[in-house]
Amino acid sequence: MTAHAADPVTPGAQGVAAPGMDLKKASEGFQTFTSPADRTVRKALSAAKGAAVASQAEAGNPGLGIVLEAQAVSAHGFELKTTVDSANTQLNVVIDWGDGNFDRADPYGAAVLTHTHTYAKLGEYPVKITVTDAANNAEVTNVLPLETAGSDFTPYGPTRLLDTRNGTGAAKAKVAPYATSRVKVAGNGKIPAGVTAVVLNVTVTNTTSAGHVTAFASGRERPTTSNVNFEAGQTVPNLVIVPVGKDGYVELYNGGWESVDLIADVTGYFGRKAAGGYTPRTPARIVDTRVGDGVKRGQVPGQGSFKIQMPAGLHTALALNVTVTNPRQDGHLTAYPSDQPVPTTSNVNFSAGQTVANSVIVPVAADGSVTIRNGSWQPTDVVVDLVGSYGIDSSGSFVPFDKPVRRLDTRAWDKGQSPARGYTYIPFSPGEDGVAGYVLNTTVTNTRGDGFLSVAPDPNTVEQYRNKTNGWPERPVSSALNWTAGKTVPNLVQASSGNNGIVDFWNQGWQDVDLIVDIFGYYDTK
């Protein structure tokens, strides 16, 4: 089995998933901030600004006041409603957004004013509104503290936070069926308090029956979705980007019939302070040891490694999809910054002869490099696809959903399975300005043969599909996950929105399969 599509076969069929959703309206992370009238502070103008008419100055417009309400509408943006209570007189309103930018208005008497603003950087900002009534020698102010909704990425580690096999981060004991293991994130090591989400590579091992693992924020309702699916005797990892509870913890739920061991390795976290944004890319193959792309041709030796070199200073972390194929022995791969010692963590676990992929978010070294190490004692081929990058010059901020949203489950619709050698397109955010990409979990199940899944932005528009004037997208050569007959395989996918907010999911196998797609959040540049 190959880890990419080598032939240009025209898709056998295409299918469409559910209608597009308004991601920004669906997000529960967009808070509303208010400051009532009783927070209005009043003062008299100085003599130099004194009233033009003495009788009006004596009246003083005693009811002059301000009520503020701001709604976050994007990762960086707000809509502010300013309600001014006033007598009928000319007013001057100044909005200081707290970042050096101002808006002004000149209403006559009582008014409701609406303004929008987008901050260049994430953070907390005190918005100050000043209303001046020169004729009545009065001025009032109200201040509304705002906190942006988006989260930026800070690379960390790789570091092991949980290993129930040896008591790291929890008791030395398997996680019981239908029970959870709590992973401390905020305040663990140098991870600060207040983080909104975390990147974990979650591995389940020592399994004795089939099951699944679900990651979710402590203190929130457990979702019905799964992050890792496993069978008896399997060791299975999967990358998760999961919100962190207010208490700083993440829960890992064992949905299997028997106890399992769980491992969680952190490679970064998200917070509401300006750090690194995300830039999604159309997946591009940067390493293939089978043909010599990006590295010398030939398998990676046992206990050997290779480097991926990116420009120094441009990225803080890379988002990759790493595939192992043709391994001669069981083992694992570890991705880490080249200027750090080899960590004890793992990113991809494999068995002899297996083709398996996993998403990886890995910090880069100071010189821009990343090392991939083969932890097996025997050689293996490795394929690496670049799907995105984090950096201080990238503008995509993460907006997590409180719980995942299922966008597609072919088992539950009337259009049949994902077609062999074909694709299913999902309109995620057509027409939504600023949405750069999505954090998804894709799962393939009810497989009858070997195959792999490719995920790429669609060049067509929704209107072209409706009018049946769409063209056939170019078949991708990258792989997001690989499967064998009878297996259920999940993998995290960070998908670019492309130009039209539509993503294609290609079944590169020769038999139809069932496809499940859950969305955990998205990257917003606005």
Side-chain angles (χ1 to χ4, degrees), residues 59 262 281:
L262 293 177
R281 303 167 183 260

Side-chain angles (χ1 to χ4, degrees), residues 407-471:
R407 290 292 289 118
L408 172 67
D409 187 342
T410 60
R411 300 170 302 177
W413 72 346
D414 58 1
K415 297 180 177 63
Q417 293 182 307
S418 176
R421 306 302 294 161
Y423 71 97
T424 298
Y425 67 93
I426 301 181
F428 281 99
S429 60
E432 285 194 71
D433 188 34
V435 177
Y438 322 101
V439 176
L440 312 172
N441 199 72
T442 56
T443 303
V444 170
T445 189
N446 296 324
T447 56
R448 291 174 291 162
D450 297 353
F452 64 97
L453 183 77
S454 298
V455 180
D458 193 308
N460 299 290
T461 65
V462 170
E463 290 71 22
Q464 286 174 312
Y465 277 110
R466 288 173 180 165
N467 299 333
K468 300 187 183 303
T469 59
N470 59 286

Side-chain angles (χ1 to χ4, degrees), residues 463-484:
E463 290 71 22
Q464 286 174 312
Y465 277 110
R466 288 173 180 165
N467 299 333
K468 300 187 183 303
T469 59
N470 59 286
W472 289 105
E474 182 179 354
R475 181 181 292 274
V477 299
S478 60
S479 61
L481 63 84
N482 299 68
W483 69 84
T484 54

Side-chain angles (χ1 to χ4, degrees), residues 277-298:
Y278 182 67
T279 299
R281 303 167 183 260
T282 298
R285 182 139 295 170
I286 59 174
V287 171
D288 190 338
T289 61
R290 300 169 302 178
V291 296
D293 286 348
V295 293
K296 182 180 178 180
R297 182 178 179 179

